[in-house]
Amino acid sequence: DQQVKQNSPSLSVQEGRISILNCDYTNSMFDYFLWYKKYPAEGPTFLISISSIKDKNEDGRFTVFLNKSAKHLSLHIVPSQPGDSAVYFCAARLGPNFGNEKLTFGTGTRLTIIP
Amino acid sequence: ETGVTQSPTHLIKTRGQQVTLRCSSQSGHNTVSWYQQALGQGPQFIFQYYREEENGRGNFPPRFSGLQFPNYSSELNVNALELDDSALYLCASSLVRGFRETQYFGPGTRLLVL
């Protein structure tokens, strides 16, 4: 039962263009969403997060959009740079009443930036 | 650099053996979680420890167990290893117990079971 889905296993984008990574979820009790970036031989690195009370959060070149009614979020990277080439994971967390901070991850999207 | 370290980086075991993986969290991080990442998959939650007590568990059998110590280090123990236990094992720590706290991951231990 995959509660967080990233349907695009890979994405290639020209340097300088916008990269858009998508994520869908099925559990309406998810209350907080995060994006992590992972390079080979390293652990996931936190990028940006968004609470369910917001529909947008921005941090430099990274913006995350949340559409609660569609149970969909997306990560926009603009402009894309070669160093952005990595695997990107979407993760979700239940609200505070559930007692722990378990993250549920998608399967990841491999982003390749073409110089 | 997240300040979370794991050892060893790589490990090879045979089926039926036992393994202990270690994690050292950032100072003051009193919550640690362990995840298993199989090839081509996202990390799967194993369990979480808060102030040295288990605080939530994923769909993993009891042969997966853990410990958290007062010095912010923790262990993941796996008994009776199976071939499907081959994966990258990640630990993640966070500063306080709060649902909006960011979890910071270590580099992982890659376990191969033959």
Side-chain angles (χ1 to χ4, degrees):
Chain A
D1 177 23
Q2 192 71 26
Q3 296 187 54
V4 177
K5 301 177 185 178
Q6 294 177 255
N7 292 318
S8 298
S10 62
L11 176 68
S12 294
V13 174
Q14 290 280 349
E15 182 180 357
R17 300 284 185 104
I18 183 171
S19 296
I20 300 176
L21 295 96
N22 294 302
C23 178
D24 296 293
Y25 62 95
T26 57
N27 190 339
S28 57
M29 302 306 292
F30 285 140
D31 207 27
Y32 191 59
F33 303 89
L34 307 92
W35 284 93
Y36 283 84
K37 175 166 104 171
K38 187 178 186 300
Y39 294 119
E42 294 184 13
T45 302
F46 170 73
L47 266 180
I48 192 168
S49 61
I50 188 167
S51 162
S52 60
I53 61 175
K54 295 185 174 182
D55 55 17
K56 176 183 174 181
N57 189 26
E58 202 169 347
D59 184 2
R61 297 187 298 115
F62 302 92
T63 303
V64 56
F65 296 91
L66 175 63
N67 182 335
K68 279 192 71 176
S69 60
K71 295 190 178 68
H72 176 83
L73 65 155
S74 60
L75 173 68
H76 291 209
I77 306 172
V78 56
S80 301
Q81 299 174 354
D84 297 329
S85 294
V87 178
Y88 288 77
F89 289 99
C90 168
R93 190 155 66 197
L94 297 170
N97 293 333
F98 288 87
N100 68 59
E101 299 162 25
K102 164 187 172 181
L103 292 176
T104 301
F105 283 85
T107 52
T109 296
R110 180 176 300 279
L111 175 65
T112 302
I113 304 304
I114 304 165
Chain B
E1 187 65 42
T2 63
V4 181
T5 59
Q6 292 186 243
S7 62
T9 55
H10 295 82
L11 201 52
I12 300 175
K13 291 284 189 178
T14 55
R15 194 170 45 183
Q17 284 189 311
Q18 178 267 343
V19 69
T20 297
L21 310 181
R22 293 180 173 83
C23 172
S24 179
S25 304
Q26 289 191 39
S27 178
H29 280 203
N30 55 20
T31 300
V32 65
S33 304
W34 285 89
Y35 293 82
Q36 179 196 65
Q37 185 180 9
L39 204 59
Q41 302 295 316
Q44 299 286 317
F45 177 76
I46 303 175
F47 45 56
Q48 180 179 89
Y49 278 80
Y50 169 66
R51 289 187 176 176
E52 301 165 47
E53 292 195 4
E54 188 177 294
N55 176 44
R57 190 176 184 92
N59 291 329
F60 283 82
R63 59 190 185 82
F64 285 78
S65 63
L67 285 171
Q68 185 186 25
F69 303 101
N71 65 351
Y72 311 114
S73 66
S74 63
E75 288 181 356
L76 164 65
N77 298 289
V78 187
N79 293 322
L81 283 166
E82 300 177 359
L83 298 181
D84 285 350
D85 296 334
S86 295
L88 179 68
Y89 289 85
L90 297 159
C91 77
S93 71
S94 56
L95 181 59
V96 294
R97 185 184 181 189
F99 89 111
R100 290 185 179 154
E101 285 299 320
T102 298
Q103 293 187 22
Y104 296 94
F105 284 82
T109 293
R110 187 162 296 281
L111 173 65
L112 178 61
V113 182
L114 301 175

